[in-house]
Amino acid sequence: MASIEVPPDWENLTFSAMAGVILVIGAPDTGKTTFARYLYGQLMEHHQQVGFLDGDMGQATLGPPTTMTLAMARTPSESWPPQGHRFRTFVGNISPRGHMLPTVVGAHKLVQRGSEKGATAIIYDTTGLVAAEHGGGALKRALVDLLQPDVVIGLQRGSELEHLLVPLRCSRCTRAVDRSVSGAVQRRDVAARRAHRAEQFRHAFEGSRRMEIDWSGRAVIPGPSFAHHQLVALEDARGFVLGLAIVTGRDSGRQTVELHTPVASLDGVDTVHLGDVTLDPETFRDEPL
Ligand SMILES: Nc1ncnc2c1ncn2[C@@H]1O[C@H](COP(=O)(O)OP(=O)(O)O)[C@@H](O)[C@H]1O
Ligand SMILES: [Mg+2]
């Protein structure tokens, strides 16, 4: 990523006073991820361990789309991206719309894991779903209620976040501030978003091979109805993603499914979690199921 243009009002945030969960919100293309990276650099000066939660399962930066990733910074001077522990949860779709429960539950699990691993600040870079009519208000309010962030930082061009920020400004639990959208933001159209996802998926499937799984006696969520090219997650016993896989064949009689996956071994795979998209193993183009 090119260098970050820092608007003057970003610099007057009191970074030394920020701890716990810091929620970064904003509409699509407001520079949330770039701001979150800037904040990460600042908070590294004040904390020994900082967690970065890439919570955008559409335009993901630290993992494949359909997932959310918590990355931990290992040393105070570490550069981007964080090289420490990583934990990932599966949402199963490229948008939180219609998938709010795995979004909220996943965020909670990742924040909890980050705290257990010693992060004293966790920056949560969220999706651009903020519009009240699409459930953005309900989603962000649920996240605030559950995660009790120390501060919510909103990047807004107009008043699109006011429905979220006004009540928070009166709250004694969570502080709310808004900051400018940088003039350097480059908007991404639908084609650019799709291309970004394909690139992230391609990276995640590097080194993949064929693997057959006997699904009888294994946890399959929500059930063993595998579709051609359906995207699935192979999860450990705590519900964290070991790797993604694409369904390339099934044999109902033998109760087996053939997968294209970078996961090398079934050891540690507790659950096969079906997603709501298909993924072409050649082009890495995703489509709704
Ligand atoms: N402050 C900034 N300085 C330089 N480039 C920026 C800045 N903010 C955003 N951009 C660029 O604009 C694009 C979209 O920004 P991003 O942070 O990914 O937005 P969002 O997370 O809200 O979708 C990226 O290519 C990013 O590099
Ligand atoms: Mg982003």
Side-chain angles (χ1 to χ4, degrees), residues 1-7 10 26-36 56 59 61 125-128 155 181-188 193:
M1 191 196 264
S3 64
I4 298 176
E5 188 268 333
V6 179
W10 288 14
D29 295 327
T30 49
K32 298 179 294 300
T33 300
T34 308
F35 174 80
D56 188 347
Q59 297 295 293
T61 41
D125 177 23
T126 61
T127 71
L155 300 177
V181 174
S182 162
V185 172
Q186 290 170 11
R187 290 177 184 259
R188 271 175 289 200
R193 288 172 179 273

Side-chain angles (χ1 to χ4, degrees), residues 2-165:
S3 64
I4 298 176
E5 188 268 333
V6 179
D9 68 353
W10 288 14
E11 288 174 306
N12 65 20
L13 286 162
T14 317
F15 301 108
S16 59
M18 288 186 194
V21 177
I22 296 126
L23 202 66
V24 179
I25 65 170
D29 295 327
T30 49
K32 298 179 294 300
T33 300
T34 308
F35 174 80
R37 276 191 52 185
Y38 167 76
L39 191 57
Y40 167 80
Q42 297 298 324
L43 294 188
M44 288 294 276
E45 313 260 319
H46 301 282
H47 295 265
Q48 298 221 319
Q49 286 249 50
V50 177
F52 189 101
L53 202 179
D54 169 15
D56 188 347
M57 71 300 289
Q59 297 295 293
T61 41
L62 295 179
T66 69
T67 68
M68 305 192 295
T69 301
L70 175 82
M72 303 278 289
R74 223 183 343 225
T75 67
S77 59
E78 198 175 341
S79 60
W80 184 263
Q83 298 297 317
H85 293 288
R86 283 195 177 200
F87 301 96
R88 191 163 283 149
T89 60
F90 188 54
V91 176
N93 204 282
I94 56 163
S95 164
R97 284 180 73 180
H99 300 83
M100 295 214 185
L101 286 172
T103 303
V104 172
V105 171
H108 183 255
K109 286 172 68 165
L110 293 171
V111 164
Q112 210 172 29
R113 207 75 186 94
S115 303
E116 283 166 19
K117 288 286 175 189
T120 46
I122 298 177
I123 300 161
Y124 181 2
D125 177 23
T126 61
T127 71
L129 181 63
V130 295
E133 64 273 26
H134 294 139
L139 175 60
K140 261 60 179 189
R141 277 193 296 276
L143 289 171
V144 169
D145 193 18
L146 184 63
L147 304 177
Q148 307 217 314
D150 175 45
V151 55
V152 175
I153 305 177
L155 300 177
Q156 63 178 341
R157 290 193 168 88
S159 57
E160 67 273 18
L161 299 181
E162 288 301 294
H163 68 104
L164 290 161
L165 296 178

Side-chain angles (χ1 to χ4, degrees), residues 165-286:
L165 296 178
V166 165
L168 288 178
R169 289 194 188 105
C170 303
S171 161
R172 274 186 290 274
C173 176
T174 294
R175 290 180 294 139
V177 293
D178 55 335
R179 284 296 180 266
S180 311
V181 174
S182 162
V185 172
Q186 290 170 11
R187 290 177 184 259
R188 271 175 289 200
D189 61 14
V190 171
R193 288 172 179 273
R194 182 178 272 291
H196 176 80
R197 291 200 301 274
E199 195 49 44
Q200 294 284 99
F201 276 130
R202 186 182 300 282
H203 181 63
F205 278 92
E206 269 165 19
S208 288
R209 58 191 188 87
R210 247 178 36 180
M211 182 190 275
E212 195 175 63
I213 291 194
D214 177 350
W215 81 65
S216 61
R218 194 176 284 279
V220 182
I221 301 175
S225 57
F226 300 96
H228 184 59
H229 285 176
Q230 186 167 11
L231 183 69
V232 306
L234 304 177
E235 296 177 339
D236 68 14
R238 302 179 72 169
F240 291 105
V241 174
L242 296 166
L244 297 183
I246 300 170
V247 174
T248 51
R250 62 171 286 166
D251 186 331
S252 304
R254 289 171 54 232
Q255 300 205 321
T256 59
V257 60
E258 185 191 277
L259 300 174
H260 177 71
T261 181
V263 175
S265 151
L266 283 177
D267 297 346
V269 176
D270 182 83
T271 299
V272 181
H273 191 161
L274 278 64
D276 292 325
V277 296
T278 62
L279 191 63
D280 185 309
E282 302 286 328
T283 63
F284 293 101
R285 203 180 152 87
D286 60 82

